Amino acid sequence: SQKIEQNSEALNIQEGKTATLTCNYTNYSPAYLQWYRQDPGRGPVFLLLIRENEKEKRKERLKVTFDTTLKQSLFHITASQPADSATYLCATEDGYGNKLVFGAGTILRVKS
Amino acid sequence: NAGVTQTPKFQVLKTGQSMTLQCAQDMNHNSMYWYRQDPGMGLRLIYYSASEGTTDKGEVPNGYNVSRLNKREFSLRLESAAPSQTSVYFCASTVREGGGYEQYFGPGTRLTVT
C-alpha cells in the first residue's frame, strides 16, 4: 500500500517569509495528492488537491506542486502569518476506492 | 450545516469497559470513516463505510466494531477497552471533488483508557 512521509521536525519561520513543506510518497504514483491543515484540538481541514497531470496549483497564498519524478509534493505558503501556524498533513489515495493514507504531518510555526 | 459531529468530546474509561463513539454528518455523503490519531503516527484508518449498508476494515481494526446505522450515522464501538486504545478518534465523511476524495472531519473524541 501507499506510504506518505513528511518531515517530522517542526518548521520555524519568520512572519512574511515563504514556508515550504515536503511530502514524499514511496510506492506507485498516485492520481492525486491532498493537503490538510490541522489546528490543536481540532479535526483536519481540506486545503488543496493536485492531480498527477498538474505540475502546480494555487489558492490565494498557497501553492502546491507535484513532481512524479521525485515522488514528491511541495506545499508553499507565501507571506506567512502567525495565523498560519498549524500542523499540515499530506494525503493521497490508498489503493482503489475512496480511502486515503495520511502522513504524520509537519508542524509549522510562524513567528512575528 | 453542522458538517460532521462527534460525541462525546472527551471520555475516560477503565480497562475492560465498553463504549460507543457516535458520528453524524448532514452533507448527504455516501462514505464515512473512523480514524485514530496518535503522536508521530498520523491518522490511521480503523474502519470505513463506502455506502449505507457496507463496512470494511482499515489499517487498524482490531478491538473495534462499527455500525452504519443509516446514511447519516456511523458509530464506533470499543467492546473491551485497552490502554493501547488511548488516542484521539476522528470521524470523517467524503465527497468526490476535483478528481479526488475530499474528506470532512469531525472535531474528534479524546479517549483515555486507564
Side-chain angles (χ1 to χ4, degrees), chain B residues 28-75:
Chain B
N28 202 36
H29 290 167
N30 285 323
S31 302
M32 297 184 73
Y33 307 78
W34 277 104
Y35 294 92
R36 60 178 289 172
Q37 188 174 40
D38 302 292
M41 301 197 71
L43 289 159
R44 291 184 291 168
L45 183 64
I46 304 171
Y47 270 94
Y48 68 105
S49 171
S51 60
E52 188 178 353
T54 69
T55 60
D56 284 289
K57 295 178 181 178
E59 181 186 352
V60 289
N62 291 346
Y64 305 95
N65 283 303
V66 290
S67 295
R68 183 73 182 268
L69 305 168
N70 48 55
K71 191 170 186 179
R72 290 186 64 249
E73 297 172 288
F74 188 37
S75 62

Side-chain angles (χ1 to χ4, degrees), chain A residues 6 11 19-23 35 73-77 88 106 108:
Chain A
Q6 295 184 256
L11 177 63
T20 299
L21 285 70
T22 304
C23 169
W35 284 88
S73 174
L74 297 179
F75 176 82
H76 306 273
I77 305 176
Y88 291 87
T106 299
L108 172 66

Side-chain angles (χ1 to χ4, degrees), chain B residues 92-107:
Chain B
S93 66
T94 199
V95 63
R96 187 166 177 85
E97 188 83 29
Y101 291 94
E102 177 182 332
Q103 295 207 347
Y104 292 77
F105 286 84

Side-chain angles (χ1 to χ4, degrees), chain A:
Chain A
S1 60
Q2 189 69 272
K3 288 193 188 308
I4 295 284
E5 296 172 348
Q6 295 184 256
N7 195 340
S8 59
E9 288 185 24
L11 177 63
N12 296 296
I13 64 166
Q14 202 64 33
E15 182 177 8
K17 301 291 187 187
T18 296
T20 299
L21 285 70
T22 304
C23 169
N24 293 292
Y25 57 92
T26 59
N27 292 333
Y28 58 88
S29 185
Y32 60 87
L33 285 160
Q34 299 181 348
W35 284 88
Y36 289 77
R37 170 183 172 140
Q38 186 174 22
D39 291 289
R42 310 190 76 147
V45 175
F46 173 81
L47 294 175
L48 280 169
L49 178 151
I50 184 167
R51 290 188 288 267
E52 65 174 335
N53 61 350
E54 296 175 315
K55 289 214 178 324
E56 180 181 298
K57 196 143 186 194
R58 292 175 185 262
K59 179 181 175 182
E60 297 172 355
R61 292 185 297 112
L62 309 180
K63 183 178 87 170
V64 174
T65 62
F66 192 168
D67 188 326
T68 55
T69 303
L70 294 178
K71 293 190 171 183
Q72 184 178 85
S73 174
L74 297 179
F75 176 82
H76 306 273
I77 305 176
T78 58
S80 59
Q81 305 164 1
D84 296 325
S85 298
T87 298
Y88 291 87
L89 307 173
C90 177
T92 190
E93 56 182 356
D94 186 13
Y96 64 93
N98 53 4
K99 292 187 295 179
L100 294 180
V101 59
F102 285 83
T106 299
I107 297 172
L108 172 66
R109 299 192 190 102
V110 182
K111 299 185 179 180
S112 57

